Amino acid sequence: MSQAQHHAQLIDGKAAAAALLETVRQDVAALRASGVIPTLAVVLVGDDPASHVYVRNKVLRASEVGIRSLEHRLPADTGQHALLKLIATLNADAGVNGILVQMPLPAQIDEGAVIDAIDPHKDVDGFHRENVGRLVLGEPALTPCTPSGCLFLLKQTLGDLSGKHAVVIGRSNIVGKPMAALLLHANCSVTVLHSRSVGARELCRQADIVVAAVGRAQMIDASWIKPGATVIDVGINRIQAGDKTRLVGDAEFDSVARVAGAMTPVPGGVGPMTIAFLMKNTVLAAKRQSQHDL
Ligand code: NDP
């Protein structure tokens, strides 16, 4: 498709994340000046290559903004008891402000039990049921990083979201459900679509805002999108392009760009925002634990 046919404004997640990380860096410097070293413990179990890449990126980003990270790499055959013991140690360690356990975990470990074991004040992923409850109730919470990043990009692009009809495609605990809660608190009218939805395309076509978090390569084309709508594409999917693999979103970019008012690319959209919010949550946790924001 030629450039001339591109109508949608590109929402630059890389630039937004860089700006956000700069404010985090300043917060970290202020905390360090007052004797607090914001610290993130990262726990990785097993050899999943994608998880190793994610952890490497998180540790790198942390060091760039001055957050200390402590890596705990455990073998793939680690038992649940051993992992829970490590989490209890990290919970009790006043020098650790945030705990991130990289998912997915090996089959012998119950992910829910691990999330439940993390001190909610150190739960920088925002997955603990106390933080989920607080988010739904509209109380201060550590909120999940990916939907927080999506909301940031939407507010930056559209300003006040009040009264907008938002359609969230996907209802997972890490993206779809918290996204819907955040949009509701931002005064959107929210529709959540999932694999059992009837007439999904028609419902989506009524949206001012579309957040796609399905995990199906290029499922959403222009026929799903109201002209001028803002589209946030959370999906990260690998497709075969000749003899190479390529990352694509849940939206068919060129098709959607012809009708959308603004949209995020994949890569370079939501992905960088997720890591930026992990750093922001770590600093928030450190501030609250050291009572610096009270
Ligand atoms: P899940 O697989 O947990 O959830 C997918 C959701 O999509 C489910 O709720 C499912 O419905 C719904 N769904 C599946 N098929 C359809 C369909 N045909 N029509 C409508 N809804 C459908 O995925 P995640 O939420 O964990 O992730 C979604 C995508 O986002 C993935 O590509 C993932 O890689 C990416 N991701 C990106 C991140 C980033 O930083 N950019 C972070 C996290 C995720 P049902 O509940 O009925 O099964």
Side-chain angles (χ1 to χ4, degrees):
M1 185 182 126
S2 76
Q3 284 297 319
Q5 287 172 287
H6 267 130
H7 294 307
Q9 171 204 336
L10 209 59
I11 303 173
D12 185 346
K14 258 187 175 166
L20 189 67
L21 285 168
E22 180 52 32
T23 68
V24 171
R25 206 181 56 75
Q26 288 166 15
D27 282 353
V28 170
L31 279 164
R32 280 181 172 259
S34 68
V36 176
I37 302 172
T39 300
L40 174 66
V42 182
V43 181
L44 176 58
V45 186
D47 315 309
D48 178 52
S51 292
H52 276 262
V53 172
Y54 291 142
V55 164
R56 197 167 61 230
N57 287 339
K58 289 168 186 177
V59 168
L60 189 69
R61 221 38 100 231
S63 80
E64 283 170 6
V65 295
I67 291 174
R68 183 168 66 130
S69 53
L70 307 172
E71 281 183 73
H72 294 267
R73 291 170 186 265
L74 306 177
D77 62 356
T78 300
Q80 177 150 329
H81 182 69
L83 181 54
L84 292 179
K85 227 172 117 183
L86 172 61
I87 290 171
T89 307
L90 297 171
N91 283 343
D93 185 344
V96 171
N97 305 115
I99 301 171
L100 179 140
V101 180
Q102 184 64 46
M103 307 286 173
L105 291 167
Q108 74 275 13
I109 298 176
D110 174 358
E111 290 186 350
V114 171
I115 293 168
D116 277 347
I118 297 172
D119 178 345
H121 298 97
K122 299 189 178 185
D123 168 39
V124 284
D125 265 333
F127 296 160
H128 191 282
R129 64 186 69 244
E130 182 170 327
N131 282 314
V132 176
R134 284 175 161 270
L135 168 61
V136 172
L137 293 171
E139 294 172 359
L142 289 166
T143 52
C145 302
T146 299
S148 300
C150 294
L151 187 71
F152 185 98
L153 292 178
L154 283 167
K155 285 186 172 167
Q156 183 183 268
T157 307
L158 296 170
D160 184 13
L161 305 183
S162 288
K164 306 238 181 258
H165 181 202
V167 165
V168 178
I169 317 176
R171 56 172 166 180
S172 73
N173 291 342
I174 63 164
V175 190
K177 281 181 200 161
M179 187 75 249
L182 287 170
L183 289 165
L184 192 57
H185 290 309
N187 298 319
C188 291
S189 303
V190 182
T191 302
V192 181
L193 303 177
H194 47 77
S195 68
R196 309 291 180 90
S197 294
V198 175
R201 184 193 308 253
E202 288 66 34
L203 288 164
C204 188
R205 211 163 38 213
Q206 295 170 22
D208 304 308
I209 292 167
V210 177
V211 180
V214 188
R216 291 186 172 228
Q218 301 171 315
M219 183 183 101
I220 314 292
D221 66 13
S223 69
W224 289 65
I225 306 299
K226 179 166 83 174
T230 302
V231 179
I232 304 290
D233 190 350
V234 182
I236 300 178
N237 311 290
R238 274 167 219 284
I239 59 166
Q240 202 66 33
D243 55 358
K244 292 198 176 126
T245 59
R246 184 162 79 89
L247 283 189
V248 296
D250 290 342
E252 197 181 330
F253 185 86
D254 289 346
S255 165
V256 169
R258 277 195 281 272
V259 291
M263 70 184 293
T264 56
V266 175
V270 175
M273 295 302 292
T274 298
I275 298 196
F277 265 88
L278 177 66
M279 301 306 136
K280 194 171 154 59
N281 276 354
T282 303
V283 167
L284 187 61
K287 278 187 190 172
R288 288 191 178 146
Q289 285 157 37
S290 60
Q291 305 196 313
H292 274 264
D293 67 341
L294 296 178

